Amino acid sequence: MIRIAVVVLSLLAAALPARAQERTQQRIGVVASFSILGDFVRSVGGDRVAVTTLVGPTGDVHVYTPSPRDAKQIADARLVVVNGLGLEGWLPRLVQSSGGKATIVTVTKGIKTREADEGGDAHGHSHGDDHTDPHAWQSVPNAKIYVANIRDALIATDPAGEATYRANAEAYLAKLDALDREVREQVAKIPAGARKVISTHDAFGYFADAYGISFIAPQGVSTESEVSARDVARIIKQIRASKIPAVFLENISDPRLIQRIAAETGAKIGGTLYSDSLTAENGDAPTYIDMVRHNIRTLTSALAG
Ligand SMILES: [Zn+2]
């Protein structure tokens, strides 16, 4: 009896790796241009897909320099998932040079776009000639459109997985509905007159439009360069004039200037808001849902008084 059990077990052990390998080989190779899209694809694709993300947590998706390894990933992929709206200007050349046969799907299709705010941008990137704001994922209702587009693209690429993709997408869309409600409940806790921050971040236009929190650029301050003491005097004036309760300024590295703003205006200095990239697994925002949740908590704790 025991001997039979041992024999069966060792047969299983011998069979397992082969089967696991087969399963891996059958997975649909999908390349996502950056981490937020990678998270969406994983949520919808589940075990049927093997997702590779080109721009990781420390990279800038706007100005990325692809590596030969990225070209290989694209050459091997069945599907390449991109944001479009001028975000990944480096991608067409990469796809062309890779010589692969992957289908490229732009997952912002169907989203009502907005114009990028004037006055340059916060994280030192260029939107080129196209003035469309590419950061559409910052509104959760838009994220649902991304997910629906990814579901449809996966079904078109791998029709045998249709039931799985539909079930996974439905479950994830329900989570996004809950997340959207959560954000609205959090915003409702902020007094209506206090729903504004000064920020050099240009990535929250869709978030602002969806949830009614204004992101006001500091007047007369270049978002590309370090904020000077003179800029700070202007920012202080602006905070007082517009009664702005909190500031999220990423391009002040001198802590004395930050302290001066806080001391002279009483405005809170906010924490980190994540816009274009998720963090590593042990960070504040390893998934899209974590990112949105982190951002709204950071905003409410700065604004709710
Ligand atoms: Zn950006």
Side-chain angles (χ1 to χ4, degrees):
M1 190 68 179
I2 289 167
R3 194 175 298 166
I4 292 168
V6 168
V7 169
V8 170
L9 274 177
S10 54
L11 279 174
L12 275 175
L16 265 177
R19 214 174 291 163
Q21 200 176 11
E22 196 181 338
R23 198 179 163 91
T24 308
Q25 282 166 355
Q26 284 172 348
R27 284 194 188 188
I28 307 297
V30 183
V31 170
S33 59
F34 71 113
S35 52
I36 290 165
L37 298 187
D39 183 46
F40 291 154
V41 175
R42 253 176 231 116
S43 299
V44 179
D47 290 342
R48 291 189 74 89
V49 299
V51 187
T52 308
T53 292
L54 297 181
V55 184
T58 52
D60 180 348
V61 62
H62 298 271
V63 292
Y64 183 66
T65 306
S67 68
R69 200 168 144 257
D70 295 333
K72 169 98 173 68
Q73 307 273 24
I74 286 190
D76 294 344
R78 296 269 306 276
L79 185 66
V80 178
V81 174
V82 303
N83 185 80
L85 308 180
L87 184 71
E88 307 102 333
W90 45 271
L91 201 112
R93 195 196 286 174
L94 174 65
V95 169
Q96 206 180 15
S97 70
S98 74
K101 293 195 182 86
T103 304
I104 296 158
V105 60
T106 302
V107 292
T108 49
K109 193 173 147 250
I111 282 175
K112 190 174 172 293
T113 57
R114 66 185 295 281
E115 294 286 289
D117 293 328
E118 281 177 36
D121 51 56
H123 25 288
H125 56 247
S126 160
H127 296 133
D129 296 332
D130 189 346
H131 293 291
T132 303
D133 180 350
H135 305 92
W137 62 86
Q138 283 295 346
S139 131
V140 179
N142 283 349
K144 291 177 63 186
I145 298 176
Y146 280 73
V147 168
N149 285 331
I150 288 168
R151 175 200 60 206
D152 295 346
L154 286 172
I155 292 171
T157 307
D158 173 30
E162 175 166 355
T164 304
Y165 299 136
R166 287 201 185 281
N168 289 350
E170 199 179 327
Y172 188 64
L173 288 169
K175 285 187 194 172
L176 293 181
D177 278 331
L179 180 68
D180 186 52
R181 280 195 298 274
E182 191 183 321
V183 174
R184 288 174 201 282
E185 282 162 15
Q186 295 283 324
V187 173
K189 289 182 191 164
I190 304 169
R195 291 173 193 164
K196 52 191 173 185
V197 299
I198 284 191
S199 170
T200 47
H201 234 297
D202 74 339
F204 290 97
Y206 290 91
F207 180 90
D209 291 353
Y211 302 112
I213 294 180
S214 304
F215 284 71
I216 303 161
Q219 278 163 18
V221 175
S222 161
T223 55
E224 304 268 328
S225 55
E226 180 71 19
V227 172
S228 68
R230 216 166 123 199
D231 294 334
V232 163
R234 245 191 319 247
I235 292 170
I236 287 171
K237 244 184 171 172
Q238 190 183 0
I239 293 171
R240 284 186 179 145
S242 307
K243 297 193 171 54
I244 291 162
V247 293
F248 292 83
L249 295 169
E250 299 191 334
N251 48 344
I252 303 185
S253 53
D254 184 343
R256 289 168 303 179
L257 294 181
I258 303 261
Q259 281 157 15
R260 196 179 134 204
I261 293 173
E264 291 190 26
T265 64
K268 287 200 187 142
I269 311 298
T272 304
L273 298 175
Y274 294 94
S275 62
D276 290 19
S277 154
L278 301 176
T279 63
E281 201 53 49
N282 57 358
D284 290 328
T287 69
Y288 173 78
I289 289 175
D290 291 329
M291 178 190 79
V292 173
R293 211 169 256 159
H294 169 88
N295 286 349
I296 191 60
R297 283 182 186 159
T298 302
L299 284 163
T300 30
S301 68
L303 294 175

